Amino acid sequence: MATESKAPIAVISGDLVDSTALNRDEYERVLAEIKTIQAHISQAHCANQHSIIRGDEFQSVIHDVANALHYVVMYRVAIKALGKPFDCRISFAIAEQADLREAVSESMGQAFVLSGRGLKAMKNQRLAFFCANVDLEDRFALLIRYLDRQLSDATSRQCEMMLPLLQRDQSLAYGELAAALGVANATVSKSLKAAGWGLIEALLAEFQQAVEAQV
């Protein structure tokens, strides 16, 4: 059964990098992590939907569109936190007018088209953003490129430390994070600084505010 949505939605389309090189155990680990992230995204908004296609592609339909970039970064960081062999490419888009169905893979709309085409067109980058609002897309074009480079350079350990900060609704003190990970406070501070967490956090906040104001 189809449901027409006139409100803006975001569509996140991603695939695993070099998935054929993963062994069975590695594949099971990353698949479980993708499902965990999708469950977290659904907890944030009950209407959000997901799919996993052919085992190495995933897609999310996001109704709380201002949080779309936050979820994108959560996907990327969670997968990279698993270790050196793991990474993904993600293309996400925001647009109005969608024909939503129970199966995400059968849904249609401009956000699906923009996101899907963006993923197929990727070459060297691993993160891309598209929007029916051209001004919004242009505003964040360079910032998304910066974010892509920052996340690509982040180590699995740095991603492991960023992930809890992305998953918490409230701010998590570095001392709490250090205790949870069993490391020194100084290690957490040094790793997050090296990962550029302060700038990433600021970019997520700016994107959220911009989307809320313009979409």
Side-chain angles (χ1 to χ4, degrees):
M1 182 177 180
T3 302
E4 184 180 4
S5 173
K6 295 183 179 180
I9 63 164
V11 174
I12 299 171
S13 300
D15 61 15
L16 298 176
V17 174
D18 295 330
S19 60
T20 56
L22 300 177
N23 61 40
R24 182 180 180 85
D25 290 342
E26 290 170 337
Y27 169 75
E28 293 297 337
R29 286 176 61 203
V30 71
L31 182 61
E33 191 61 35
I34 290 172
K35 291 180 178 179
T36 296
I37 294 303
Q38 291 181 342
H40 187 92
I41 294 172
S42 290
Q43 287 175 1
H45 195 295
C46 62
N48 292 339
Q49 297 175 278
H50 317 280
S51 68
I52 298 176
I53 308 165
R54 293 188 296 276
D56 64 351
E57 297 181 14
F58 53 90
Q59 194 167 58
S60 291
V61 178
I62 307 300
H63 291 268
D64 50 334
V65 293
N67 293 320
L69 182 57
H70 188 109
Y71 299 146
V72 166
V73 174
M74 192 184 300
Y75 262 126
R76 186 94 186 271
V77 166
I79 290 172
K80 283 180 65 70
L82 295 174
K84 191 174 181 179
F86 302 96
D87 201 354
C88 63
R89 306 183 310 156
I90 296 179
S91 169
F92 74 110
I94 297 175
E96 299 177 350
Q97 299 287 346
D99 184 10
L100 302 178
R101 299 171 183 268
E102 186 174 350
V104 172
S105 60
E106 297 176 1
S107 297
M108 300 180 294
Q110 187 178 11
F112 290 92
V113 173
L114 291 173
S115 179
R117 286 179 179 172
L119 186 64
K120 291 180 180 179
M122 275 190 181
K123 294 182 179 179
N124 297 323
Q125 78 273 34
R126 294 188 177 178
L127 179 60
F129 169 58
F130 305 92
C131 187
N133 183 328
V134 178
D135 290 339
L136 187 62
E137 181 179 325
D138 289 345
R139 174 178 173 179
F140 283 93
L142 188 58
L143 292 172
I144 293 296
R145 287 174 58 189
Y146 154 78
L147 179 61
D148 185 20
R149 172 61 65 87
Q150 200 71 17
L151 294 177
S152 294
D153 290 344
T155 66
S156 58
R157 187 58 165 165
Q158 290 167 355
C159 288
E160 183 183 6
M161 293 185 182
M162 287 191 285
L163 184 57
L165 300 175
L166 291 162
Q167 292 177 323
R168 285 285 292 265
D169 294 330
Q170 299 177 343
S171 60
L172 181 66
Y174 283 8
E176 295 178 276
L177 180 57
L181 296 174
V183 299
N185 287 12
T187 301
V188 169
S189 179
K190 183 178 179 180
S191 294
L192 291 176
K193 183 177 181 180
W197 170 249
L199 291 175
I200 292 173
E201 190 176 30
L203 174 53
L204 295 179
E206 182 177 345
F207 184 87
Q208 182 179 25
Q209 292 170 5
V211 172
E212 289 173 344
Q214 295 190 38
V215 175

